Amino acid sequence: MSQLDPPNANAEVSALLEENRIFHCSNEFKSHAVVKNADIYQSARENRENFWAECANKLEWFQKWNKVLEWKPPYAKWFIGGKLNASYNCLDRHIKAPLRNKAALIWEGEPGDQRTLTYWDLYREVNKLANAIKSLGVKKGDRVAIYMPMIPEAVIAMLACARIGAIHTVVFGGFSAEALKDRILDAQANLLITADGGYRRGNVIALKNTANNALKDCPCIKNVIVVKRTNTNVDFQPGRDHWYHEITKSVADYCEPEPMDSEDILYILYTSGTTGKPKGVIHTTGGYMTAVTLTTHWVFDLKPEDVFWCTADVGWVTGHSYIVYGPLSNGATQVIYEGSPDWPERNRFWKIIAKYGVSIFYTAPTAIRAFMKWGTDWPEGCDLSSLRLLGSVGEPINPEAWIWYHKYIGREKCPVVDTWWQTETGSILIAPLPALIGQKPGSATKPLPGIEAKILTENGTEIKEGGGYLALTSPWPSMLRGIYGDAQRFEETYWNKWPNGIYFTGDGAKLDADGYFWLLGRVDDVINVAGHRIGTMEIESALVDHPAVAEAAVVGIADEIKGQAIAAFVTLKEGNTSDKKMEDTLKQHVVEKIGSIARPSKILFTADLPKTRSGKIMRRLLRDVGEGRALGDVTTLADSSVVETLKKKYEKET
Ligand code: WT7
């Protein structure tokens, strides 16, 4: 079995794969679908701005825009002159309508506790927190950091910021104190919203204590609001720290939504790039809200009666676009769950689906591969008949996992939408409209209406059929507007590869004869571990930060479940011993610097790293070694014995 073979691809799955089948939705599905008419692709292509303007019209604007798009590559402005508020569109719009008492969030904590907030409940909570935040002196344009477990208050905090025009920057709760500090400092946030802790696999994750460590070096933070979730003992700094339940008690329950310019910043979200420093991706209000509202409705075929469940964490862009802004703006009812899929048993997700009648389920290939490994008994023991559509996001889904998902979770009745997008794109760009585009397992299919994607060669020549770089060749409303505080990096990372405002995605892809896109993974020094993006440089910087380390090189190697795993090649300074203890110390050091998502699964000690004559580390060779392959071309290597020694040593150790 090769490393990419699925854990338990049985004979039935293999047979289906060989058929090379295109999966079409049922006639029943099609007759009720949100988008049934394929002409939309053509009409959007003919008048892209008009298409997007019609989509924007589905939002409620305080003031209409006077120009749809101004495109001075790489700087775009959408719906110029328009004024709106994201929280108003997610809440106020619905509480005036029959949706007032519809469930907005059905939340389940990992220990089994539950809360349901209707739109009216959520509206009230958001208004109160918005007033509380205002009372601390936070104003429009200020940055607010949010470091939370998956509890309703995470959503409330984001919407409360949006309501008053403060810019939120959510930091995933699994990040370390140091990672939190870096992001707070880069954004110069003046308020942090956090919780005493959260639950994960039966343990308490002590967020406030981690935050306290981060805040030692964050003079910009003037106030901290703390949600009581786990009743953990926390160090409280009087004057600076406030309990959420106290500060929201005596405030007014209505807060006027700030009329935001379409191009005012809604949020900053940090994501990894090819340097050691994460990038603060900027999203603005009008275009972003337009695109997430549309794609939630169309790609997931969302109807008022659906129960939508996206399993992402609000700390990632998927949580921003497809838990908070997209579904709530559509008035959806959704499930959110705090914890781990295997707690207390490996059927937790399936039990949740059965319990709340989830009809649309959106998760990551890594999770699907883990479910495959755990076996079909777990889902078969639960009633999944409420499901009618499945989604996948975050990394390429291998055809075996796709077919397994379709067969054992979707019971061969649910379309599977594989959705390609990025933190930078803000919303789904390549995915099927489920009633219109037949699905090929492993392909994200075609660009959505209003989106133009192409495969280009290094020098920008278009490839009509075959592999190359995935490029986006015209602007779209939810595109990133910049990198916070670093215009140069914005231009260099995305826009300088080819001329004329063509966006470089960093992904390789191929186009087949039917015009379907097949994503092939990153082509830059970014790896995708379990659907989470991590820069190899970031991990290398964390490693060399340890006093025992002289040099480090990190590569992604194929992993059965996570897609990619982290392998680190480390040269120690003289006088240090390369033993198991050192390996554990260094892994722990990375966890402390970044967080457990960046923990290397393997550390290999080596006296030298393979380098070209000009001193560049040859990562390709390290990947060959890491994945146990025969060595590729070593002719450009300064000292070819280095890699042979490394390979021998590595083979012995694994
Ligand atoms: C990178 C973006 C999109 C939200 C979650 C990740 C990879 C994402 C797919 C997919 C193949 C995918 C790409 C992309 N990716 N979705 N359906 N098929 N690859 O957001 O952390 O910004 O990462 O994830 O490599 O560039 P992100």
Side-chain angles (χ1 to χ4, degrees), residues 271 316-318 392-397 418-424 444 505-507 519 521-522 528 531-533:
T271 187
W316 310 112
V317 73
T318 310
S392 170
V393 62
E395 45 183 319
I397 180 166
D418 175 8
T419 61
W420 178 88
W421 59 296
Q422 310 178 304
T423 304
E424 293 86 342
T505 61
D507 277 355
L519 276 302
R522 304 286 309 192
N528 191 325
H532 300 314
R533 186 206 294 203

Side-chain angles (χ1 to χ4, degrees), residues 118-172:
T118 63
Y119 272 93
W120 181 246
D121 294 331
L122 190 61
Y123 167 79
R124 222 172 0 222
E125 292 300 320
V126 167
N127 273 280
K128 283 196 286 186
L129 184 62
N131 278 330
I133 294 175
K134 262 189 166 170
S135 76
L136 296 173
V138 176
K139 301 180 307 298
K140 176 179 174 187
D142 288 358
R143 275 78 55 217
V144 174
I146 298 177
Y147 185 60
M148 292 278 252
M150 278 296 286
I151 54 176
E153 284 77 7
V155 178
I156 294 167
M158 290 163 75
L159 291 171
C161 290
R163 193 162 192 91
I164 66 167
I167 299 166
H168 59 70
T169 182
V170 183
V171 180
F172 171 58

Side-chain angles (χ1 to χ4, degrees), residues 136-281:
L136 296 173
V138 176
K139 301 180 307 298
K140 176 179 174 187
D142 288 358
R143 275 78 55 217
V144 174
I146 298 177
Y147 185 60
M148 292 278 252
M150 278 296 286
I151 54 176
E153 284 77 7
V155 178
I156 294 167
M158 290 163 75
L159 291 171
C161 290
R163 193 162 192 91
I164 66 167
I167 299 166
H168 59 70
T169 182
V170 183
V171 180
F172 171 58
F175 276 124
S176 68
E178 186 134 346
L180 174 61
K181 178 195 80 180
D182 291 344
R183 287 159 178 76
I184 288 175
L185 289 178
D186 190 81
Q188 285 292 298
N190 60 14
L191 168 69
L192 171 68
I193 306 178
T194 185
D196 52 354
Y199 292 98
R200 187 85 194 171
R201 283 216 171 81
N203 298 315
V204 168
I205 309 292
L207 291 168
K208 174 66 162 76
N209 289 338
T210 307
N212 282 344
N213 285 333
L215 294 185
K216 282 180 197 148
D217 302 309
C218 296
C220 51
I221 292 284
K222 302 294 180 232
N223 290 284
V224 181
I225 296 179
V226 189
V227 178
K228 200 171 233 168
R229 161 79 186 122
T230 53
N231 283 313
T232 315
N233 246 336
V234 293
D235 280 337
F236 231 64
Q237 189 175 303
R240 183 194 70 183
D241 297 354
H242 318 267
W243 286 112
Y244 180 102
H245 59 273
E246 284 170 3
I247 199 167
T248 51
K249 204 159 47 193
S250 49
V251 289
D253 56 14
Y254 179 72
C255 170
E256 192 71 29
E258 186 73 33
M260 301 293 281
D261 190 276
S262 177
E263 282 299 331
D264 278 340
I265 301 180
L266 176 60
Y267 67 80
I268 301 169
L269 183 61
Y270 287 85
T271 187
S272 294
T274 53
T275 72
K277 191 174 179 290
K279 315 176 267 206
V281 167

